[in-house]
Amino acid sequence: MGRLHGLRNRLGQAVCQGWGQPEEHVIPKRFDLIVVGAGSGGFAAARTARDLGANVALVDRGPLGGLCILRGCMPSKTLIATGDLMHAIRESGELAVRAGEPQLDYRALAERKRRLVRGWADYRIAGIDTFPVFTGDAWFESPTTLRVGDDVLYAPKFVIATGSSIAPAAVPGLAEAGFIDSDAALDLEQPPRSLLVLGGGYVGCELSQFFHRAGVPVTIVIRAQHLLSGEDHDVGIGLTEYFREEGIRVETGAHVQRVSVRDGMKVVHYAQDGEEREVAAHEIFYALGRVPNVCDMNLDAARVEHHDITGIPVDDTLRTSNPDIFAVGDVTGRYALVHVAIQQGEIAGRNAATGARERADYRLTKTHTIFTDPQVAVVGETERELEAAGVPFLKATYPFEDHGKAVALGRTNGFVKMLASPKDGRILGAAILGPEASDLIEPLIVAMAYGATAQDYARIPHLHPTLVEILTYPAEEIADRLRAVPTLAVAT
Ligand SMILES: Cc1cc2nc3c(=O)[nH]c(=O)nc-3n(C[C@H](O)[C@H](O)[C@H](O)COP(=O)(O)OP(=O)(O)OC[C@H]3O[C@@H](n4cnc5c(N)ncnc54)[C@H](O)[C@@H]3O)c2cc1C
């Protein structure tokens, strides 16, 4: 029996390798279901299966709490709340308030973040402790047997929810120069004097803007033509322009070649428009993605197919190549969002406990949001997805600068966009780049969940004056274009 360990190759990339270890004979502890990984996805799977009567054990190598609480959503949003307040104070002149330059007590912010994270983690750990918990690295000895330290556990079914890790940095010279990743960026006691960010995904964007608002000169270097390269171009280009207007330097189309150190500064060398260029800062934030945690578990013994970069493939019922073993959350390499991990966990928990074949439906679940300012929120299909699939659609947009409530609030950056079927007006998708987009998108999620058309959306009542009222304008435009808006006849 070989025990695998995560090693790194010459480029610093994680690879799975192993060597033999003698097998001992221990009487296994038996459960109906063992969930490996007690983060958002694993905890949801365990709770759901137990509610259906299964005897469930949790395995986690720790620290307990999961990525979202310890090093993801919650600490980042705590820092961002302070950055946004700093910005609002600086901008308060627009609302006739003279507040002056705000002073940030970074140590107090770090302490606040620690305190809040501790509270959220304690609450989660109290939930985890209602299960039999085995702490340590999980190691499959067979498709039904797992070793955790000195314990050997048996179950006919497993859910793997081991999450993801920061992708190894593969830029020549970066390791020698030193850098921070998102874990370290969230844990600083003092902000860097200046910051160079490699990567324009959502983690890079959110934390870049936070550091900028905390008073740190920030430069983002990206290969793509705009931030958030996976989003529709109008959204990504819009955010890039707002970042630049705010004073964040964004170098696009930049192919990073190497990193060096000069006069105590870290220098990123890149090619752009056929020229060799460089930019220097006191610190580099490497924000170029995460890889699924598939090493270290001996998944071959469990007959679970897996890939170092793309993770564990699953079907829509969350079953892996071994139909008695399920996988959920970041380890599946899909979406990497907490609400997706939770929904997958709940479905896998039900399927594992009952043998059912309930399927995950990502059409609405892939809704996502990015906590920049302006925020980004996307539901359903994007323009790019519809075009790629050859699906015809009607599109209507409306800018916040023409929306009364946004003007009153002094928050006019961005726009809303609705996409609908030209056949019957059914809403296919929507995107918001704008203030409070993460909240504004909610009524559209509900509308789409019930198969609403743009005409439906235009005729239901909406409060005035509200930010969310802006969504009625593209709905009305599409309804007008379809010439199908019936007279207002809302049931009372
Ligand atoms: C900076 C940042 C900000 C983010 N912000 C958001 C956001 O705003 N909204 C959002 O939806 N998502 C956000 N995410 C993503 C989100 O945090 C993840 O998608 C989600 O937490 C993944 O949950 P999970 O259950 O798959 O994995 P995790 O929560 O990572 O849980 C995996 C668990 O498995 C354990 N484990 C790993 N390997 C082993 C092993 N071999 N043996 C035993 N145990 C093991 C770990 O200890 C861990 O407890 C953010 C991520 C980052 C990094």
Side-chain angles (χ1 to χ4, degrees), residues 36-43 59-74 76-77 124 134 136-139 161-164 166 182-183 186 202-203 206-207 290 293 295-297 328-331 335-341 369 371:
V36 184
S40 301
F43 185 66
V59 173
D60 199 294
R61 67 179 169 198
L64 292 179
L67 177 65
C68 171
I69 290 173
L70 300 177
R71 299 181 307 272
C73 333
M74 302 313 287
S76 61
K77 271 75 233 181
R124 169 56 57 82
F134 297 87
D137 285 315
W139 174 258
T162 45
S164 59
I166 289 163
S182 65
D183 289 357
L186 293 170
Y202 78 93
V203 172
E206 289 182 358
L207 291 178
R290 303 181 66 85
N293 289 332
C295 292
D296 301 324
M297 278 188 289
V328 304
D330 284 10
V331 76
Y335 301 119
L337 294 163
V338 166
H339 65 274
V340 174
T369 188
F371 292 87

Side-chain angles (χ1 to χ4, degrees), residues 436-477:
E436 314 305 336
S438 56
D439 288 321
L440 266 48
I441 202 80
E442 285 286 342
L444 282 178
I445 302 174
V446 176
M448 287 185 67
Y450 286 95
T453 62
Q455 304 90 298
D456 293 330
Y457 200 88
R459 68 169 179 254
I460 58 174
H462 300 275
L463 297 181
H464 171 80
T466 57
L467 276 179
V468 73
E469 187 188 16
I470 191 174
L471 294 171
T472 58
Y473 306 133
E476 280 164 4
E477 186 185 324

Side-chain angles (χ1 to χ4, degrees), residues 58-139:
L58 273 170
V59 173
D60 199 294
R61 67 179 169 198
L64 292 179
L67 177 65
C68 171
I69 290 173
L70 300 177
R71 299 181 307 272
C73 333
M74 302 313 287
S76 61
K77 271 75 233 181
T78 303
L79 298 186
I80 288 167
T82 293
D84 287 353
L85 180 59
M86 298 278 292
H87 183 70
I89 294 169
R90 286 191 191 108
E91 297 289 300
S92 60
E94 165 67 22
L95 273 71
V97 176
R98 288 196 200 91
E101 176 61 19
Q103 300 299 309
L104 176 58
D105 181 345
Y106 205 93
R107 277 191 201 285
L109 172 59
E111 177 48 35
R112 175 172 191 263
K113 186 221 68 177
R114 262 195 304 275
R115 177 168 44 82
L116 297 185
V117 167
R118 191 68 265 151
W120 290 315
D122 284 350
Y123 181 76
R124 169 56 57 82
I125 291 167
I128 290 171
D129 281 344
T130 62
F131 291 87
V133 183
F134 297 87
T135 309
D137 285 315
W139 174 258

